[in-house]
Amino acid sequence: MGDYEIVVLDPATADRVLPTPAEITPVREIRYHTRGWMPAELDTLRDRLGADAPWEEIAIAVSRTIETVKDKAWELGLYRPKFRPWTEDEDRVLITDYGSVPTATLALRLERGVPAVYVRAGLLGLTKAAPPPWSEAEDAVLRAVYTTEATIAEIAARLGRPGSGVISRASHLGLRRPEGPKPWHPDEQALALKLAEEGHLYPVIRRKLAAKGFPLRAESSFQAFIAASGYHRGWGRPWIEEECDLLRQAYQTGGNLVALSHRLGRSRHSIRWKAAELNLSGTHPKPNGARQGRLWSEADDEMLRANYGRGRMKTGELAGLLDRPKSAVYNRAFTLGLDHGYCRDWTPDEDLLIRIAHAAGVSMIDLAKVMRRDPTIVSKRAIKIGLSFSQRDHAAPRNLRAHRPVLDCAAILSLAAPTGPAGDPWQSFKVVRVFGHD
């Protein structure tokens, strides 16, 4: 019955007229999905997109989101018609609103691109009203106020022109803005620091200073003045003397600052900020290096030396016995120069096996199985001694592994008969090729 789980059989009745083979619509195969696209939905998508219908209309027709409809259209390689003819209603809207409504808004209303609106407006002979030319009086006002501390917005409002037009005209006249902000007045500095001490926000302080007749400072300029004046605003609850004493003690004795931050309920940034304020930065002795955990005692080191390594206690059990994480055990063992012995040392006989197998076309998997090592480790060793199994002249056989003879060390050694000097068998040997090679 095929791959279908449920098959519904519809019996034919006597009064039912069966369709002819020519009238039968071929059944289309679709992939099952809980929200998969049905053939009727795909037909609707093709028809509506071919008619250049809006995405919103297509999404409503197939009861899906606009993003899903766009993704499916891209997946099927469907595109809108390259050129959609302009209707009389669209031309009427364009003639009525072009010049008074922003072009981007008009393009969105007509569901067309901004370049298409510009091109159509040019074909219809529509042009936006150009701004009036600058008069000599306006130029005189611009020369008088552009080099002062007045902002561009204030100059534009005074002249009744946009800010971009003011900047463009000033550039045409060769005018330049004054270099840098106006120097701070002593009264302005005193008022700014007073408002900061009272807890006002920086934007509020800037507005209050401008209301007093001082220039409206930029945010970056105000923050630079605050930092240069030595004022630091500390947020959060204030530090009490007992907390400061605990912080001094931690720096004097090399205590754990992370544990202190948890004990005081403060962030590490707050700890560092307070330490810098108390001139404690750099005074931490750090007897255990950069790590601020529990120090290793002589008894811990002796237990680590006695139980760390291959064939002894497992690293996880040793870490639990020492009440430390495994990473700490590994790091301490490295500091003490202890070797775990996870990978045993390579012997000359193993190097000889690798050379013979490389020349005889033995598979890397077969060789690793014989040597009881991981194939990746064997490959790295072969590269280290100047061999590469992926670039050798005689590749491994491609028949099924079950059809190959079972290899062992003696079988691999028998593939090569030493012909070199005695005592140096791997320096020069004759390879006997097997496994279907010449």
Coordinates of all heavy atoms in Angstrom, one line a residue, residues 151-229:
T151 N 23.5 77.5 18.3 CA 23.4 76.2 17.7 C 22.8 76.3 16.3 O 22.2 77.3 15.9 CB 22.5 75.2 18.6 OG1 21.2 75.8 18.6 CG2 23.1 75.1 20.0
I152 N 23.0 75.2 15.5 CA 22.5 75.2 14.2 C 21.0 75.2 14.2 O 20.3 75.9 13.3 CB 23.0 73.9 13.4 CG1 24.5 73.9 13.3 CG2 22.3 73.8 12.1 CD1 25.0 75.0 12.4
A153 N 20.4 74.6 15.2 CA 18.9 74.6 15.3 C 18.4 76.0 15.5 O 17.4 76.4 15.0 CB 18.4 73.6 16.4
E154 N 19.1 76.7 16.4 CA 18.7 78.1 16.7 C 18.8 79.0 15.4 O 17.9 79.8 15.1 CB 19.5 78.7 17.8 CG 19.2 78.0 19.2 CD 20.2 78.4 20.3 OE1 21.1 79.2 19.9 OE2 20.0 78.0 21.4
I155 N 19.9 78.8 14.7 CA 20.1 79.6 13.5 C 19.0 79.3 12.4 O 18.5 80.2 11.8 CB 21.5 79.4 12.9 CG1 22.6 79.8 14.0 CG2 21.7 80.2 11.6 CD1 24.0 79.5 13.5
A156 N 18.8 78.0 12.3 CA 17.8 77.6 11.3 C 16.4 78.1 11.7 O 15.6 78.5 10.8 CB 17.7 76.0 11.2
A157 N 16.0 78.1 13.0 CA 14.7 78.6 13.4 C 14.7 80.1 13.1 O 13.6 80.7 12.8 CB 14.5 78.3 14.8
R158 N 15.8 80.8 13.3 CA 15.8 82.3 13.1 C 15.6 82.6 11.7 O 14.9 83.6 11.3 CB 17.1 82.8 13.7 CG 17.2 84.4 13.6 CD 18.4 84.8 14.3 NE 18.6 86.3 14.2 CZ 19.5 87.0 14.8 NH1 20.5 86.3 15.5 NH2 19.6 88.3 14.6
L159 N 16.2 81.8 10.8 CA 16.2 82.1 9.3 C 15.0 81.5 8.7 O 14.7 81.8 7.5 CB 17.5 81.7 8.7 CG 18.7 82.4 9.1 CD1 19.9 81.8 8.4 CD2 18.6 83.9 8.7
G160 N 14.3 80.5 9.3 CA 13.2 79.8 8.7 C 13.6 78.9 7.6 O 12.9 78.7 6.7
R161 N 14.8 78.3 7.8 CA 15.3 77.3 6.8 C 15.7 76.0 7.5 O 15.9 76.0 8.8 CB 16.5 77.9 6.1 CG 16.1 79.0 5.1 CD 17.3 79.5 4.3 NE 16.9 80.5 3.4 CZ 16.6 80.3 2.1 NH1 16.5 79.0 1.7 NH2 16.3 81.3 1.3
P162 N 15.8 74.9 6.8 CA 16.2 73.7 7.5 C 17.7 73.7 7.9 O 18.5 74.5 7.3 CB 16.0 72.6 6.4 CG 16.0 73.3 5.1 CD 15.4 74.7 5.4
G163 N 18.0 72.9 8.8 CA 19.4 72.9 9.3 C 20.4 72.5 8.2 O 21.5 73.0 8.1
S164 N 20.0 71.5 7.4 CA 20.9 71.1 6.3 C 21.1 72.3 5.3 O 22.2 72.4 4.8 CB 20.3 69.9 5.5 OG 19.0 70.2 5.0
G165 N 20.1 73.1 5.1 CA 20.3 74.2 4.2 C 21.2 75.3 4.8 O 22.0 75.9 4.1
V166 N 21.1 75.5 6.1 CA 22.0 76.4 6.8 C 23.5 75.9 6.7 O 24.4 76.7 6.4 CB 21.6 76.6 8.3 CG1 22.6 77.4 9.0 CG2 20.2 77.2 8.4
I167 N 23.7 74.7 6.9 CA 25.1 74.1 6.8 C 25.6 74.2 5.4 O 26.8 74.6 5.2 CB 25.1 72.7 7.4 CG1 24.7 72.6 8.8 CG2 26.5 72.1 7.2 CD1 24.6 71.2 9.4
S168 N 24.8 73.9 4.4 CA 25.2 74.0 3.0 C 25.5 75.4 2.6 O 26.5 75.7 2.0 CB 24.1 73.4 2.1 OG 24.5 73.5 0.8
R169 N 24.7 76.4 3.0 CA 25.0 77.8 2.6 C 26.2 78.3 3.3 O 27.0 79.0 2.7 CB 23.7 78.6 3.0 CG 23.8 80.1 2.5 CD 24.0 80.1 1.0 NE 24.0 81.5 0.6 CZ 24.2 81.9 -0.7 NH1 24.4 80.9 -1.6 NH2 24.3 83.2 -1.1
A170 N 26.4 77.9 4.6 CA 27.6 78.3 5.3 C 28.9 77.8 4.7 O 29.9 78.5 4.6 CB 27.5 77.9 6.8
S171 N 28.8 76.5 4.2 CA 29.9 76.0 3.5 C 30.2 76.7 2.2 O 31.4 76.9 1.8 CB 29.7 74.5 3.3 OG 30.8 73.9 2.5
H172 N 29.1 77.1 1.5 CA 29.3 77.8 0.3 C 29.9 79.2 0.5 O 30.7 79.7 -0.3 CB 27.9 78.0 -0.4 CG 28.0 78.8 -1.7 ND1 28.5 78.2 -2.9 CD2 27.5 80.0 -2.0 CE1 28.4 79.2 -3.8 NE2 27.8 80.3 -3.3
L173 N 29.6 79.8 1.6 CA 30.2 81.1 2.0 C 31.5 81.0 2.7 O 32.1 82.1 2.9 CB 29.2 81.9 2.9 CG 27.8 82.2 2.3 CD1 26.9 82.9 3.3 CD2 28.0 83.1 1.0
G174 N 32.0 79.8 2.9 CA 33.3 79.7 3.5 C 33.3 79.9 5.0 O 34.3 80.3 5.6
L175 N 32.2 79.8 5.7 CA 32.1 80.0 7.1 C 32.4 78.8 7.9 O 32.1 77.7 7.5 CB 30.6 80.5 7.5 CG 30.1 81.8 6.8 CD1 28.7 82.1 7.2 CD2 31.1 82.9 7.0
R176 N 33.0 79.0 9.1 CA 33.4 77.8 9.9 C 32.8 78.1 11.3 O 32.8 79.2 11.8 CB 34.9 77.7 10.0 CG 35.5 77.3 8.6 CD 35.1 75.9 8.2 NE 35.7 75.6 6.9 CZ 35.2 75.8 5.7 NH1 34.0 76.4 5.7 NH2 35.8 75.4 4.6
R177 N 32.5 77.0 12.0 CA 32.0 77.1 13.3 C 33.2 77.4 14.3 O 34.3 77.1 13.9 CB 31.3 75.8 13.8 CG 30.1 75.5 13.0 CD 28.9 76.4 13.3 NE 28.5 76.1 14.7 CZ 27.6 76.8 15.4 NH1 27.1 77.9 14.8 NH2 27.2 76.4 16.6
P178 N 32.9 78.0 15.4 CA 34.0 78.2 16.4 C 34.7 76.9 16.9 O 34.0 75.9 17.0 CB 33.4 79.0 17.5 CG 31.9 78.7 17.4 CD 31.6 78.5 16.0
E179 N 36.0 76.9 17.0 CA 36.7 75.7 17.4 C 36.5 75.5 18.9 O 36.8 76.3 19.7 CB 38.2 75.9 17.1 CG 38.5 76.1 15.7 CD 38.2 74.8 14.9 OE1 38.2 73.8 15.5 OE2 38.0 75.0 13.6
G180 N 35.9 74.3 19.2 CA 35.8 73.9 20.6 C 34.7 74.6 21.3 O 34.2 75.6 20.9
P181 N 34.2 74.0 22.4 CA 33.2 74.7 23.2 C 33.7 75.9 24.0 O 34.9 76.1 24.1 CB 32.8 73.6 24.2 CG 34.0 72.7 24.4 CD 34.7 72.8 23.0
K182 N 32.8 76.7 24.5 CA 33.2 77.9 25.2 C 33.8 77.5 26.6 O 33.3 76.6 27.2 CB 31.9 78.7 25.4 CG 32.2 80.1 26.0 CD 30.9 80.9 26.1 CE 31.2 82.3 26.8 NZ 30.0 83.1 26.9
P183 N 34.8 78.2 27.0 CA 35.4 77.8 28.3 C 34.4 77.9 29.5 O 33.5 78.7 29.4 CB 36.5 78.8 28.5 CG 36.8 79.3 27.1 CD 35.5 79.3 26.4
W184 N 34.6 77.0 30.5 CA 33.7 77.0 31.6 C 34.0 78.2 32.5 O 35.1 78.5 32.8 CB 34.0 75.7 32.4 CG 33.4 74.5 31.8 CD1 33.8 73.8 30.7 CD2 32.2 73.8 32.2 NE1 33.0 72.7 30.4 CE2 32.0 72.7 31.4 CE3 31.3 74.0 33.3 CZ2 30.9 71.8 31.5 CZ3 30.2 73.1 33.4 CH2 30.0 72.1 32.5
H185 N 32.9 78.8 32.9 CA 33.0 79.9 33.9 C 33.1 79.4 35.3 O 32.5 78.3 35.6 CB 31.7 80.8 33.7 CG 31.9 82.1 34.4 ND1 31.5 82.3 35.7 CD2 32.3 83.3 33.9 CE1 31.7 83.6 36.0 NE2 32.2 84.2 35.0
P186 N 33.8 80.0 36.2 CA 33.9 79.5 37.6 C 32.5 79.4 38.2 O 32.3 78.4 39.0 CB 34.8 80.6 38.3 CG 35.6 81.2 37.2 CD 34.7 81.2 36.0
D187 N 31.6 80.3 38.0 CA 30.3 80.2 38.6 C 29.6 79.0 38.0 O 28.8 78.3 38.7 CB 29.5 81.4 38.3 CG 30.1 82.6 39.0 OD1 30.9 82.4 40.0 OD2 29.8 83.8 38.6
E188 N 29.8 78.7 36.7 CA 29.1 77.5 36.1 C 29.7 76.2 36.6 O 28.9 75.3 36.9 CB 29.4 77.6 34.6 CG 28.7 76.5 33.8 CD 29.1 76.5 32.3 OE1 30.0 77.3 31.9 OE2 28.5 75.8 31.5
Q189 N 31.0 76.2 36.9 CA 31.6 75.0 37.5 C 31.1 74.7 38.9 O 30.7 73.6 39.3 CB 33.1 75.1 37.5 CG 33.7 75.2 36.1 CD 35.3 75.4 36.2 OE1 35.8 75.5 37.2 NE2 35.9 75.4 35.0
A190 N 31.0 75.8 39.7 CA 30.6 75.7 41.1 C 29.1 75.2 41.1 O 28.7 74.3 41.9 CB 30.7 77.0 41.8
L191 N 28.3 75.7 40.2 CA 26.9 75.3 40.2 C 26.7 73.9 39.7 O 25.9 73.1 40.3 CB 26.1 76.3 39.3 CG 24.6 76.0 39.2 CD1 23.9 76.1 40.6 CD2 23.9 77.0 38.3
A192 N 27.5 73.5 38.7 CA 27.4 72.1 38.2 C 27.8 71.1 39.3 O 27.1 70.1 39.5 CB 28.3 72.0 37.0
L193 N 28.9 71.4 40.0 CA 29.3 70.5 41.1 C 28.3 70.4 42.3 O 28.1 69.4 42.9 CB 30.7 70.9 41.6 CG 31.9 70.7 40.6 CD1 33.2 71.2 41.2 CD2 32.0 69.2 40.2
K194 N 27.7 71.6 42.6 CA 26.7 71.6 43.6 C 25.5 70.8 43.3 O 25.0 70.0 44.1 CB 26.3 73.1 43.9 CG 25.2 73.3 44.9 CD 24.8 74.7 45.1 CE 23.7 74.8 46.1 NZ 23.2 76.2 46.2
L195 N 25.0 70.9 42.0 CA 23.9 70.1 41.6 C 24.2 68.6 41.6 O 23.4 67.8 41.8 CB 23.4 70.6 40.2 CG 22.8 72.0 40.2 CD1 22.5 72.4 38.7 CD2 21.6 72.2 41.0
A196 N 25.5 68.3 41.2 CA 25.9 66.9 41.2 C 25.9 66.3 42.6 O 25.5 65.2 42.8 CB 27.2 66.8 40.5
E197 N 26.4 67.1 43.6 CA 26.4 66.7 44.9 C 25.0 66.5 45.5 O 24.8 65.6 46.3 CB 27.2 67.7 45.8 CG 28.7 67.7 45.5 CD 29.4 66.5 46.0 OE1 28.8 65.7 46.7 OE2 30.6 66.3 45.6
E198 N 24.1 67.2 45.0 CA 22.7 67.1 45.4 C 22.0 65.9 44.8 O 20.8 65.6 45.2 CB 21.9 68.4 45.1 CG 22.3 69.6 45.9 CD 21.6 70.8 45.4 OE1 20.8 70.7 44.5 OE2 21.8 71.9 46.0
G199 N 22.6 65.2 43.9 CA 22.1 64.0 43.3 C 21.3 64.2 42.0 O 20.6 63.2 41.6
H200 N 21.4 65.3 41.4 CA 20.6 65.5 40.1 C 21.3 64.7 39.0 O 22.5 64.6 39.0 CB 20.6 67.0 39.8 CG 19.8 67.8 40.7 ND1 18.4 67.9 40.8 CD2 20.2 68.7 41.8 CE1 18.0 68.7 41.7 NE2 19.1 69.2 42.3
L201 N 20.5 64.3 38.1 CA 21.0 63.6 36.9 C 21.8 64.5 36.0 O 21.4 65.7 36.0 CB 19.9 62.9 36.2 CG 19.1 61.8 36.9 CD1 18.0 61.3 36.0 CD2 20.0 60.7 37.4
Y202 N 22.7 64.0 35.3 CA 23.5 64.9 34.4 C 22.7 65.6 33.4 O 22.9 66.8 33.2 CB 24.6 64.1 33.7 CG 25.7 63.6 34.7 CD1 26.6 62.6 34.3 CD2 25.8 64.2 36.0 CE1 27.6 62.2 35.2 CE2 26.8 63.7 36.9 CZ 27.7 62.7 36.5 OH 28.7 62.3 37.4
P203 N 21.8 65.0 32.7 CA 20.9 65.8 31.7 C 20.2 66.9 32.4 O 20.0 68.0 31.9 CB 20.0 64.8 31.1 CG 20.7 63.5 31.3 CD 21.4 63.6 32.6
V204 N 19.7 66.7 33.6 CA 19.0 67.7 34.4 C 19.9 68.9 34.7 O 19.6 70.1 34.6 CB 18.3 67.1 35.6 CG1 17.6 68.2 36.5 CG2 17.3 66.1 35.3
I205 N 21.1 68.6 35.1 CA 22.1 69.6 35.4 C 22.4 70.4 34.2 O 22.5 71.7 34.3 CB 23.4 69.0 36.0 CG1 23.1 68.2 37.3 CG2 24.5 70.0 36.3 CD1 24.3 67.4 37.8
R206 N 22.6 69.8 33.1 CA 22.9 70.6 31.8 C 21.7 71.6 31.5 O 22.0 72.7 31.1 CB 23.1 69.6 30.7 CG 24.4 68.8 30.8 CD 24.4 67.6 29.9 NE 24.1 68.0 28.5 CZ 23.4 67.3 27.7 NH1 22.9 66.1 28.1 NH2 23.1 67.7 26.5
R207 N 20.5 71.1 31.7 CA 19.4 72.0 31.4 C 19.3 73.1 32.4 O 18.9 74.3 32.1 CB 18.1 71.2 31.4 CG 17.9 70.2 30.1 CD 16.5 69.7 30.0 NE 16.1 68.9 31.1 CZ 16.3 67.6 31.1 NH1 16.8 66.9 30.1 NH2 15.9 66.9 32.2
K208 N 19.6 72.8 33.7 CA 19.5 73.9 34.7 C 20.6 74.9 34.5 O 20.4 76.1 34.7 CB 19.7 73.2 36.1 CG 18.5 72.5 36.6 CD 18.7 71.9 38.0 CE 17.5 71.2 38.5 NZ 16.4 72.2 38.8
L209 N 21.8 74.5 34.0 CA 22.8 75.4 33.7 C 22.4 76.3 32.5 O 22.7 77.5 32.5 CB 24.1 74.7 33.4 CG 24.8 74.0 34.5 CD1 26.0 73.2 34.1 CD2 25.2 74.9 35.7
A210 N 21.8 75.7 31.5 CA 21.3 76.5 30.4 C 20.2 77.5 30.8 O 20.2 78.6 30.3 CB 20.8 75.6 29.3
A211 N 19.4 77.1 31.7 CA 18.3 78.0 32.2 C 18.9 79.2 33.0 O 18.3 80.3 33.0 CB 17.3 77.3 33.1
K212 N 20.1 79.0 33.6 CA 20.8 80.1 34.3 C 21.5 81.1 33.4 O 22.2 82.0 33.8 CB 21.7 79.5 35.3 CG 21.1 78.8 36.4 CD 20.2 79.7 37.3 CE 19.7 78.9 38.5 NZ 18.9 79.8 39.4
G213 N 21.5 80.8 32.1 CA 22.2 81.7 31.1 C 23.5 81.1 30.6 O 24.1 81.8 29.8
F214 N 23.9 80.0 31.1 CA 25.2 79.4 30.6 C 24.9 78.6 29.4 O 23.7 78.2 29.1 CB 25.8 78.5 31.7 CG 26.1 79.2 33.0 CD1 25.4 79.0 34.1 CD2 27.2 80.0 33.0 CE1 25.7 79.7 35.3 CE2 27.5 80.7 34.2 CZ 26.8 80.5 35.3
P215 N 25.9 78.3 28.5 CA 25.7 77.6 27.3 C 25.2 76.1 27.6 O 25.6 75.5 28.6 CB 27.0 77.6 26.6 CG 28.0 77.9 27.6 CD 27.3 78.7 28.6
L216 N 24.4 75.6 26.7 CA 23.9 74.2 26.8 C 25.1 73.3 26.4 O 25.4 73.2 25.2 CB 22.7 74.0 26.0 CG 22.1 72.6 26.0 CD1 21.7 72.2 27.4 CD2 21.0 72.4 25.0
R217 N 25.7 72.6 27.3 CA 26.8 71.8 27.1 C 26.4 70.5 26.4 O 25.3 69.9 26.8 CB 27.6 71.5 28.4 CG 28.1 72.8 29.1 CD 29.2 73.4 28.3 NE 29.7 74.6 29.0 CZ 30.7 75.4 28.5 NH1 31.4 75.0 27.4 NH2 31.1 76.4 29.2
A218 N 27.2 69.9 25.6 CA 27.0 68.6 25.1 C 27.2 67.6 26.2 O 28.0 67.8 27.1 CB 27.9 68.3 23.9
E219 N 26.7 66.4 26.0 CA 26.8 65.4 27.0 C 28.2 65.0 27.2 O 28.7 64.8 28.3 CB 25.9 64.1 26.6 CG 26.0 63.0 27.6 CD 25.1 61.8 27.2 OE1 24.5 61.9 26.2 OE2 25.1 60.8 27.9
S220 N 28.9 64.8 26.1 CA 30.4 64.4 26.2 C 31.2 65.5 26.9 O 32.1 65.2 27.7 CB 30.9 64.1 24.8 OG 30.8 65.2 24.0
S221 N 30.9 66.7 26.5 CA 31.7 67.8 27.2 C 31.4 67.9 28.6 O 32.3 68.1 29.4 CB 31.3 69.2 26.5 OG 31.9 70.2 27.1
F222 N 30.1 67.7 29.1 CA 29.8 67.8 30.5 C 30.5 66.6 31.3 O 31.0 66.8 32.3 CB 28.3 67.8 30.7 CG 27.9 67.9 32.1 CD1 27.8 69.2 32.7 CD2 27.5 66.8 32.9 CE1 27.4 69.3 34.0 CE2 27.1 67.0 34.2 CZ 27.1 68.2 34.7
Q223 N 30.4 65.4 30.7 CA 31.1 64.3 31.4 C 32.6 64.5 31.5 O 33.2 64.1 32.5 CB 30.7 63.0 30.6 CG 29.2 62.6 30.8 CD 28.9 61.3 30.0 OE1 29.8 60.8 29.3 NE2 27.7 60.8 30.2
A224 N 33.2 65.1 30.4 CA 34.6 65.3 30.5 C 35.0 66.3 31.6 O 36.0 66.1 32.3 CB 35.1 65.8 29.1
F225 N 34.1 67.3 31.8 CA 34.4 68.3 32.9 C 34.2 67.6 34.2 O 35.0 67.9 35.1 CB 33.4 69.5 32.7 CG 33.2 70.2 34.0 CD1 34.2 71.0 34.5 CD2 32.0 70.1 34.7 CE1 34.0 71.7 35.7 CE2 31.8 70.8 35.9 CZ 32.8 71.6 36.4
I226 N 33.2 66.8 34.4 CA 33.0 66.1 35.7 C 34.2 65.2 36.0 O 34.6 65.2 37.1 CB 31.7 65.3 35.6 CG1 30.5 66.3 35.6 CG2 31.6 64.3 36.8 CD1 30.3 67.0 36.9
A227 N 34.6 64.5 35.0 CA 35.8 63.6 35.3 C 37.0 64.4 35.6 O 37.8 64.0 36.5 CB 36.0 62.7 34.0
A228 N 37.3 65.5 34.9 CA 38.5 66.3 35.1 C 38.4 67.0 36.5 O 39.5 67.3 37.1 CB 38.6 67.4 34.0
S229 N 37.2 67.3 37.0 CA 37.1 68.0 38.3 C 37.3 67.0 39.4 O 37.4 67.5 40.6 CB 35.7 68.6 38.4 OG 34.7 67.6 38.3

